[in-house]
């Protein structure tokens, strides 16, 4: 009995009322979900329509749901931290708990919020923009999602079972080596990221192939919508950067699990090698998440200014050059490591160079708006909020890239303010713009504009209130990851203001949740399929898109083909002849991805606790799924013509 | 996946009837990779070469092994235009070289005693 008690007190996180509250909430929510599904007999529906689906639109929706959930978790982490820092000598969070919270905040916001939200928008928009019926590898796409999901769940489990990682979001050794972090938190970190990382890599491959091979007839590369270009650039960066992360974390795992010495201080290891390697992934990673946001802004700014995007070619060139140059700047994250003047000079200059294509893009967006007929819908508001915010964030980035000055800024709140400004002002604003922009295409109704404006202004004002003081705090000497500070520092006032700003953004998030719930209940169905008077192919089909997307292959003649076609029809042009319907070839649903990802979860959990009796069967299950899938030839079917006709007629009637 | 029975130019599978090699090319590739594995193994295990020379042998055979894989198993030569695989490969090589050379350069100044 005592043995069981000992085990339970190690296995579950104990001793913190906040965690007990979360335990109760998790149990209640799980019971509620199971009860609702059972009561309404929805288990079969869940399995057939969602868990086994290979439809890119549904996978996209699942990505976005999961990302919003993670945004909530990461946001609560942020608010807990800001509450702890609201005034000197606060005793709200214990230092160890604070360490765990800033670690999980960073990991969740980048890897389990920004990445899935981005993949969700890839899935929603790219096949529709290029006139394809799905991605190139639909089953792989579903596997990517489930690997992400299981990885994220494994990581989040650490919060109630075993203890969260507390070594910072990039887990620098030697702190994260077994000697200094003996608990299971770091192993949760490693396996959560490894499992979802495989999914990210596969998504990168999937979208490169989709974009290169599955464009509608007539859509040459230089006629692709700008968002599709940005996805291509981002995916290219993913497939080159994510293997570096996988290898680096694998080496750290070997250190911890087998007692190797890659990053230890003894036995010939060198912890600085880890820092070098992780930033080779880490720097491209921030461009991976920002490039699609640039793509979204380009779509939104053209649509809501009723003008062609200014400087299409320069935009493409800027995107692609950013994706390559991003691999040559990583050492600017550790100028203070002492790599010598030549190294620092090289990486300082390469960092400044990358600001040039970014500047080109900003001018392109502004010139697109110039003399345009701008309508201030919510996607456009986020875009216009983004431009000044990102310009300031980019400028402080250039300040940080000056290597000698960086010795002052390094790891201070100046840095914190900088990267939050580009990640919130750039990435989060961008994905919100994308979410509002494509929401009607996903669900067939728009989101309430009034509540959306409240959310926008709360986020936008809250952002400046929260992070502008942090620049100053950084210059006053406040270092990141302090769990508390004294009255003698003089940091009280600015920290108080910053915390108020954080809660304003929290209120903005609540408005978004309210907006979504309100719109589900009250918004009218969009029967046009084109509520924004859009420019690209996704707006030429009904909302939500039928499962096969396009009844017949669209024929593309120019950039913004749908817009040009509408102009031609408006000026009295004859509609293009409709090609005859043909049966449509579609992929069949598959349960393999979900089952395989579950086995990965089991294996990961086993490795975390060093339980080989669990890890090995998990890996065997993964291998069995691979084997079973490679002998499955029953993968596709045809939708007959009369069914397409029925679906199209129903979509046009708006039922 | 999305293709009509008649096939269209943008299909993922419709136009990919490239040659996937002959038995002869596979056998040659297999033999070559065996040879390139045995050479470094024998050279190092029997102390035929040591120090820098051993490293050079290991690296050169590894690179040749890589080339054999690409040509005999990955069908690099048989790709039709535009040669996406070749472009991706070149970009990948540039990045790999950056990683290796960059790491060596950065870490030169950071050796732990």
């Amino acid at each position: 009995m005592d043995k069981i008690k000992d085990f339970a007190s190690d296995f579950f996180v104990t001793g913190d009322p906040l965690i007990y509250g979360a335990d109760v909430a998790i149990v209640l929510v799980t019971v509620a979900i199971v009860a609702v599904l059972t009561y309404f007999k929805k288990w079969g529906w869940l399995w057939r329509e969602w868990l086994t689906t290979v439809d890119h639109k549904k996978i996209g929706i699942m990505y976005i749901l999961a990302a919003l959930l993670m945004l909530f978790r990461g946001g609560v982490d942020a608010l807990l931290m800001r509450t702890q820092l609201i005034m000197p000598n606060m005793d709200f969070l214990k230092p160890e708990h604070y360490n765990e919270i800033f670690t999980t905040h960073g990991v969740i916001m980048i890897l389990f919020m920004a990445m899935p939200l981005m993949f969700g928008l890839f899935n929603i928009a790219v096949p529709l923009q290029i006139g394809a019926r799905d991605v190139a590898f639909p089953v792989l796409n579903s596997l990517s999602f489930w690997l992400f999901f299981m990885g994220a769940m494994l990581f989040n489990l650490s919060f109630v079972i075993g203890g969260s990682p507390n070594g910072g979001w990039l887990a620098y050794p030697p702190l994260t080596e077994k000697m200094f972090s003996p608990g299971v938190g770091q192993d949760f970190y490693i396996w959560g990221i490894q499992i979802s990382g495989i999914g990210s890599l596969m998504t990168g491959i999937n979208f490169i192939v989709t974009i290169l091979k599955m464009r509608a007839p007539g859509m040459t590369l230089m006629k692709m919508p700008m968002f599709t270009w940005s996805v291509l650039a981002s995916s290219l960066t993913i497939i080159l950067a994510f293997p570096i992360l996988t290898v680096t974390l694998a080496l750290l795992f070997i250190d911890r699990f087998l007692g190797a010495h890659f990053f230890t201080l003894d036995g010939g290891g060198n912890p600085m090698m880890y820092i070098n390697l992780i930033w080779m992934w880490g720097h491209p990673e921030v461009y991976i998440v920002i490039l699609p946001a640039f793509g979204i802004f380009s779509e939104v700014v053209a649509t809501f200014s009723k003008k062609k995007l200014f400087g299409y070619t320069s935009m493409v060139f800027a995107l692609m050059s950013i994706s390559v140059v991003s691999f040559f700047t990583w050492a600017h994250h550790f100028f203070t490591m002492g790599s010598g003047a030549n190294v620092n000079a090289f990486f300082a200059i390469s960092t400044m160079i990358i600001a040039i294509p970014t500047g080109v893009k900003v001018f392109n967006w502004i010139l697109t708006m110039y003399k345009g007929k701008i309508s201030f819908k919510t996607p456009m508001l986020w875009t216009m909020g983004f431009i000044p915010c990102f310009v300031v964030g980019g400028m402080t980035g250039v300040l940080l890239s000056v290597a000698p000055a960086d010795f002052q800024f390094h790891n201070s709140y100046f840095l914190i303010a900088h990267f939050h400004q580009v990640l919130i002002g750039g990435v989060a604003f961008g994905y919100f713009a994308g979410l509002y922009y494509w929401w009607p295409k996903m669900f067939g109704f728009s989101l309430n504009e009034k509540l959306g404006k409240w959310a926008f202004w709360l986020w936008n004002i809250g952002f400046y209130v929260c992070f502008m003081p942090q620049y100053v705090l950084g210059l006053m000497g406040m270092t990141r990851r302090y769990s508390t500070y004294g009255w003698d520092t003089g940091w009280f006032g600015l920290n108080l203001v910053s915390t108020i700003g954080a809660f304003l953004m929290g209120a903005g998030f609540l408005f978004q949740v309210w907006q979504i719930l309100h719109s589900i209940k009250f918004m009218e169905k969009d029967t046009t399929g084109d509520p924004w008077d859009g420019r690209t192919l996704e707006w030429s089909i009904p909302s939500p898109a039928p499962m096969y997307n396009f009844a017949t292959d669209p024929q593309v003649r120019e950039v913004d083909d749908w817009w040009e076609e509408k102009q031609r029809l408006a000026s009295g042009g004859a509609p293009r002849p409709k090609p005859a319907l043909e049966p449509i070839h579609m992929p069949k649903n598959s349960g393999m991805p979900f089952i395989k990802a579950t086995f990965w979860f089991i294996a990961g959990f086993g490795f975390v606790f060093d339980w080989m009796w669990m890890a090995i069967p998990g890996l065997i299950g993964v291998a069995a799924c691979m084997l079973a899938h490679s002998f499955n030839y029953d993968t596709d079917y045809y939708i007959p013509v009369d069914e397409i006709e029925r679906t199209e007629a129903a979509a046009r009637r708006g039922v | 996946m999305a293709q009509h029975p008649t096939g269209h130019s943008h299909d993922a599978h419709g136009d990919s009837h490239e040659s996937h090699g002959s038995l002869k090319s596979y056998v040659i590739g297999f033999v070559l990779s065996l040879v390139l594995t045995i050479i470094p193994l024998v050279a190092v295990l029997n102390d035929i070469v040591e120090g820098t020379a051993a490293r050079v042998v290991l690296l050169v055979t590894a690179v040749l092994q890589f080339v054999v894989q690409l040509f005999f198993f990955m069908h690099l030569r048989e790709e039709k235009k535009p040669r996406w695989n070749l472009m991706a490969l070149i970009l990948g090589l540039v990045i790999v070289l950056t990683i290796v050379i960059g790491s060596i350069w950065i870490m030169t100044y950071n050796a732990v005693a």
Side-chain angles (χ1 to χ4, degrees):
Chain A
M1 190 63 211
D2 280 344
K3 244 178 144 179
I4 295 176
K5 232 185 213 163
D6 275 355
F7 169 77
S9 71
D10 273 353
F11 188 70
F12 294 107
V13 178
T14 51
D16 191 320
L18 282 173
I19 304 267
Y20 289 136
D23 285 339
V24 172
I26 288 170
V27 171
L28 286 180
V29 170
T30 313
V31 168
I33 291 173
V34 171
V36 166
L37 284 172
T38 312
Y39 183 78
F40 291 103
K41 296 195 175 62
K42 286 289 187 187
W43 286 101
W45 165 83
L46 184 70
W47 177 258
R48 280 189 309 275
E49 296 291 320
W50 296 95
L51 301 189
T52 62
T53 187
V54 294
D55 183 342
H56 68 96
K57 300 178 285 294
K58 286 184 176 171
I59 291 173
I61 290 171
M62 291 195 288
Y63 264 123
I64 288 169
L65 273 178
L68 292 179
L69 201 66
M70 290 292 108
L71 178 62
F72 173 73
R73 156 90 212 259
V76 170
D77 282 347
L79 293 182
L80 289 174
M81 280 190 284
R82 282 318 314 172
T83 309
Q84 165 68 18
L85 294 176
I86 193 168
M87 57 184 267
N89 305 327
M90 276 287 280
D91 200 20
F92 176 61
L93 298 173
K94 289 189 263 313
E96 313 83 69
H97 197 184
Y98 188 85
N99 292 349
E100 294 179 354
I101 288 182
F102 71 64
T103 303
T104 53
H105 169 74
V107 175
I108 285 177
M109 284 304 200
I110 294 283
L111 286 158
F112 301 129
M113 190 284 283
M115 292 293 281
L117 195 47
M118 169 179 102
F119 289 148
L121 294 171
F122 281 21
N123 269 289
I124 297 292
V126 170
L128 299 181
Q129 282 201 322
I130 63 174
R133 284 187 175 130
D134 206 320
V135 293
F137 310 113
V139 176
L140 192 71
N141 194 24
S142 155
L143 182 59
S144 294
F145 170 76
W146 288 111
L147 286 175
F148 145 73
F149 184 79
M150 293 298 176
M153 288 303 112
L154 186 62
F155 184 86
N156 276 279
L157 209 57
S158 67
F159 161 57
V160 288
I161 291 179
S164 295
N166 55 8
W169 85 279
L170 282 183
Y172 282 2
L175 176 61
T176 51
E177 292 283 357
K178 201 85 184 170
M179 189 191 278
F180 304 106
S181 295
V184 295
Q186 275 317 316
D187 301 299
F188 270 117
Y189 173 95
I190 291 171
W191 282 97
I193 294 179
Q194 290 293 53
I195 291 173
S196 68
I198 307 169
S200 305
L201 180 62
M202 295 191 308
T203 307
I205 295 169
N206 214 336
F207 277 87
I208 289 184
V209 179
T210 305
I211 293 170
L212 292 182
K213 293 280 193 181
M214 296 183 62
R215 296 189 310 277
M219 185 182 279
T220 58
L221 283 175
M222 291 309 278
K223 285 177 190 161
M224 291 200 307
M226 197 49 67
F227 179 67
T228 302
W229 264 112
S230 73
V231 173
L232 183 63
S234 173
S235 299
L236 201 63
T237 315
I238 288 175
I239 65 165
L240 295 171
F242 265 78
I244 309 177
L245 173 71
T246 305
V247 170
T248 311
L249 290 184
L251 294 177
L252 182 64
F253 176 70
I254 294 171
D255 270 11
R256 290 178 60 86
F257 188 68
L258 300 172
H261 292 276
F262 289 109
F263 308 125
T264 56
L265 285 164
D266 57 344
N270 190 341
M272 286 184 262
M273 190 61 190
Y274 178 94
I275 298 171
N276 174 56
L277 286 174
I278 198 95
W279 281 114
M280 277 183 196
W281 160 77
H283 193 77
E285 164 67 13
V286 297
Y287 286 95
I288 288 169
V289 290
I290 194 71
L291 288 175
F294 289 167
I296 293 166
F297 293 131
S298 306
E299 298 290 339
V300 167
V301 88
T303 303
F304 293 95
S305 304
K306 295 262 174 292
K307 266 181 72 188
K308 211 167 143 172
L309 183 68
F310 184 90
Y312 180 96
T313 319
S314 67
M315 213 62 146
V316 171
F317 185 76
L319 281 172
M320 298 315 274
S321 61
I322 289 174
S323 93
V324 175
V325 179
S326 72
F327 279 94
F328 296 86
T329 64
W330 77 90
H332 70 215
H333 294 272
F334 45 90
F335 278 145
T336 53
M337 194 160 101
S339 297
N342 287 339
V343 171
N344 281 3
F346 175 86
F347 285 98
I349 291 168
S350 63
T351 306
M352 293 171 199
I353 285 175
I354 213 166
I356 297 171
T358 316
V360 168
K361 302 170 80 64
V362 171
F363 282 111
N364 281 342
W365 291 316
I366 293 174
L367 288 169
T368 307
M369 285 189 268
Y370 177 68
K371 287 193 171 174
K373 252 165 69 186
I374 302 177
S375 56
F376 294 91
K377 293 282 170 46
T378 36
M380 189 61 182
L381 279 182
W382 289 101
T383 305
M384 299 187 75
F386 149 81
I387 291 176
C389 197
F390 196 79
V391 167
V392 175
M395 290 299 177
T396 56
V398 176
L399 290 180
L400 283 160
S401 80
V402 180
D406 183 68
F407 277 69
Q408 286 300 315
F409 303 138
H410 187 78
N411 270 357
S412 73
Y413 263 78
F414 190 88
L415 167 82
I416 303 291
H418 156 70
F419 74 70
H420 280 92
Q421 185 149 25
V422 283
L423 285 172
I424 295 180
V427 176
F429 282 20
Y431 295 169
F432 289 152
L435 197 59
Y436 288 116
Y437 182 60
W438 282 303
W439 186 278
K441 191 46 66 184
M442 288 157 66
F443 296 108
F445 60 90
S446 305
L447 287 170
N448 183 296
E449 282 285 317
K450 197 175 165 200
L451 289 170
K453 279 177 184 161
W454 272 94
F456 167 75
W457 284 110
L458 281 167
W459 267 98
N460 204 36
I461 294 169
F463 172 81
Y464 289 100
V465 175
C466 183
F467 288 103
M468 291 302 120
Q470 293 190 10
Y471 280 116
V472 184
L473 282 169
L475 297 177
M476 288 165 78
M478 185 167 170
T479 310
R480 75 193 293 195
R481 293 172 181 165
Y482 272 180
S483 69
T484 186
Y485 54 94
W487 285 101
D488 53 344
T489 53
W491 301 338
F492 166 56
L494 288 169
N495 269 304
L496 177 68
V497 174
S498 178
T499 301
I500 293 170
F503 277 91
L504 285 178
M505 285 191 276
F509 178 74
L510 289 183
F511 265 94
Q512 289 177 303
V513 175
W514 182 18
Q515 179 192 17
I516 289 173
L517 295 177
H518 184 274
S519 307
I520 289 173
K521 202 161 161 50
F522 296 110
M523 286 303 275
E524 276 175 23
K525 200 170 154 38
D526 159 51
T527 48
T528 59
D530 188 11
W532 310 122
D533 198 6
R535 312 177 69 83
T536 41
L537 284 180
E538 73 266 37
W539 305 109
S540 68
I541 52 174
S543 302
M547 65 178 303
Y548 47 77
N549 297 350
F550 296 88
T552 55
D553 275 334
Q555 305 287 325
V556 176
R557 293 180 198 169
E558 47 221 316
V559 186
D560 294 343
D561 197 68
W562 172 239
W563 174 260
E564 302 296 341
E565 176 71 5
K566 283 189 289 189
Q567 298 306 306
R568 210 172 56 78
L569 289 177
S571 59
R576 291 179 194 173
K578 278 219 160 201
L581 292 177
E582 290 175 60
I584 293 174
H585 190 198
M586 293 298 287
K588 269 191 182 163
N589 283 0
S590 169
M592 184 280 289
F594 181 75
I595 297 168
K596 188 167 159 187
T598 309
F599 277 121
W600 265 118
F601 181 89
I602 293 169
F605 196 82
F607 277 118
V608 167
F609 282 93
D610 210 346
W611 293 342
M612 285 309 113
W613 55 266
M614 190 171 177
I616 290 168
L619 289 180
I620 291 173
V622 171
C625 285
M626 273 189 214
L627 205 63
H629 185 67
S630 53
F631 287 104
N632 177 17
Y633 297 103
D634 179 26
T635 56
D636 48 343
Y637 69 105
Y638 285 92
I639 302 180
V641 170
D642 55 330
E643 195 185 327
I644 305 170
E645 275 168 353
R646 275 201 306 276
T647 316
E648 287 293 303
R652 262 193 297 278
R653 276 202 311 275
V655 261
Chain B
M1 267 299 148
Q3 82 195 72
H4 295 304
T6 48
H8 275 289
S9 57
H10 69 293
D11 290 337
H13 303 296
D15 58 353
S16 58
H17 299 300
E18 289 155 28
S19 143
H20 281 290
S22 60
L23 183 65
K24 193 178 147 202
S25 75
Y26 280 124
V27 171
I28 294 174
F30 185 59
V31 171
L32 278 177
S33 29
L34 278 184
V35 170
L36 287 169
T37 312
I38 292 169
I39 292 174
L41 209 62
V42 171
V44 173
L45 284 183
N46 297 341
D47 294 328
I48 297 172
V49 284
E50 276 172 0
T52 314
R55 281 181 205 156
V56 170
V57 169
L58 281 178
L59 281 175
V60 168
T61 47
V63 170
L64 287 176
Q65 181 80 262
F66 177 64
V67 174
V68 167
Q69 295 285 326
L70 286 174
F71 279 90
F72 290 93
F73 302 115
M74 303 292 176
H75 311 292
L76 194 65
R77 271 176 309 182
E78 291 140 40
E79 193 190 7
K80 280 193 283 187
K81 280 178 189 174
R83 307 183 76 159
W84 299 120
N85 285 328
L86 185 66
M87 290 184 219
L89 179 71
I90 292 170
L91 185 59
L93 283 176
V94 169
I95 300 298
V96 167
L97 286 176
T98 310
I99 293 169
V100 173
I101 297 168
S103 296
I104 293 173
W105 189 35
I106 290 170
M107 296 308 291
T108 321
Y109 305 92
N110 289 291
V112 174

